[in-house]
Amino acid sequence: MPTALSLACETKPDLAATMKLQIPALAWHTTGAGVWQRTFHPHGQGIPVRVEADRGGLQFTFRTSTEEELLRDLLTATFRNGEQVGAMALAGHPALRTLRRHHQDMILLAGSPFETLILAILAQGRPAATVRKVFPRLTAACGGLTPRRLSALPLPRLAQLVRPLGEVKAARLHATAAILTRRGATAFDRLIAGSGSHALKYLLSLPGVGTHTAAIVMTIINDAPGMVPIDQNLVRVAYRLGLTDHDGGLTKPGSRQVAADLLAYGPDLARVHPLLQQVAYDTCTAGTPDCRRCFLAESCRYAAHTA
């Protein structure tokens, strides 16, 4: 018999929105009709888990007896104990209040340290749909992603698995896994689960990890205070909305200024940065933004100026 797990939420979760973002939504994939699935490998054996939403929250189903408690803890942590965007502290600016209201039923997922790192590297400059296809094949080939299992995978086999995302990623992933294996099985998790300069420096020492990727990993894993993944899309949207007055290039001082301006609205701003970036992709483009179609237009200084 399948095991059922319920996770209560304030309102019916918007799973479609939940699974859209975050590199991308930690590689859950839809099986149709509002049901999403991914396979976990708690001890090497793959266990498919299905999730769907109802008015009470989230309903998970999976078949296992020996790993039930472990999976319950893992799923509860992944879905942040049912916390939705509507409960987050985003009241310091009209645009943030609108953002919270528009996405109130969405959950911003959390990830385990090593899986999040691997997904962040895989997703660099690549389509979300392709990442969703590659990631489960990679985890299945390893029997679950750990540094030791990934480093033990022959490099030609790894290159074959990640080829749709660019074969150069295979060498970076293999080298990163080898480094973390040498440093100890749990050293990475222990250090990255903390926050601050030591964790950031550790990430930046790994092949293929730059400042932006490191910040993404830190915010998804532990909501690192004082850290926002800054890119040109986020700078553009933040400036137009009036969340920052910096509209320059992505220099180090400029990026630090934008991050400081955004975090002045509270630490939850770092967690919702993917929602602001999605606005950049959907309507607030670098050319002529589609303000008439943007749900933030009424609280946007740029839209007000161009109306």
Side-chain angles (χ1 to χ4, degrees), residues 27-224:
W28 289 78
H29 63 275
T30 182
T31 61
V35 180
W36 293 76
Q37 179 173 308
R38 71 155 288 184
T39 299
F40 291 90
H41 300 76
H43 291 142
Q45 180 183 4
I47 302 175
V49 178
R50 292 161 58 92
V51 60
E52 53 191 313
D54 62 19
R55 292 186 180 278
L58 296 170
Q59 302 297 324
F60 302 91
T61 54
F62 49 88
R63 291 183 180 274
T64 182
S65 55
T66 58
E67 307 293 352
E68 180 176 336
E69 184 175 350
L70 182 59
L71 276 175
R72 286 176 180 271
D73 291 344
L74 178 59
L75 293 168
T76 300
T78 298
F79 286 84
R80 297 182 183 270
N81 205 31
E83 182 190 11
Q84 295 167 282
V85 172
M88 297 174 70
L90 298 169
H93 188 281
L96 296 179
R97 293 193 292 271
T98 302
L99 187 79
R100 181 178 61 187
R101 183 172 62 251
H102 186 80
H103 292 290
Q104 62 181 353
D105 301 327
M106 181 182 180
I107 299 172
L108 291 168
L109 304 183
S112 63
F114 188 63
E115 279 196 353
T116 301
L117 171 63
I118 298 305
L119 271 165
I121 295 173
L122 289 174
Q124 292 168 341
R126 296 297 185 267
T130 310
V131 175
R132 289 187 196 275
K133 292 179 181 178
V134 168
F135 182 73
R137 297 171 187 167
L138 180 59
T139 56
C142 293
L145 278 178
T146 67
R148 185 172 300 281
R149 290 172 183 167
L150 184 56
S151 64
L153 200 65
L155 184 55
R157 174 60 174 151
L158 178 56
Q160 181 185 42
L161 288 165
V162 304
R163 183 172 293 127
L165 297 171
E167 292 187 34
V168 67
K169 293 182 184 289
R172 294 173 181 170
L173 295 173
H174 207 261
T176 292
I179 291 169
L180 299 185
T181 299
R182 289 195 299 270
R183 293 178 180 176
T186 61
F188 179 72
D189 286 15
R190 288 199 311 270
L191 181 60
I192 303 304
S195 60
S197 59
H198 291 298
L200 181 61
K201 185 177 180 180
Y202 190 105
L203 280 169
L204 292 174
S205 72
L206 299 173
V209 179
T211 303
H212 187 253
T213 298
I216 289 175
V217 172
M218 293 289 287
T219 54
I220 291 177
I221 291 172
N222 58 11
D223 305 331

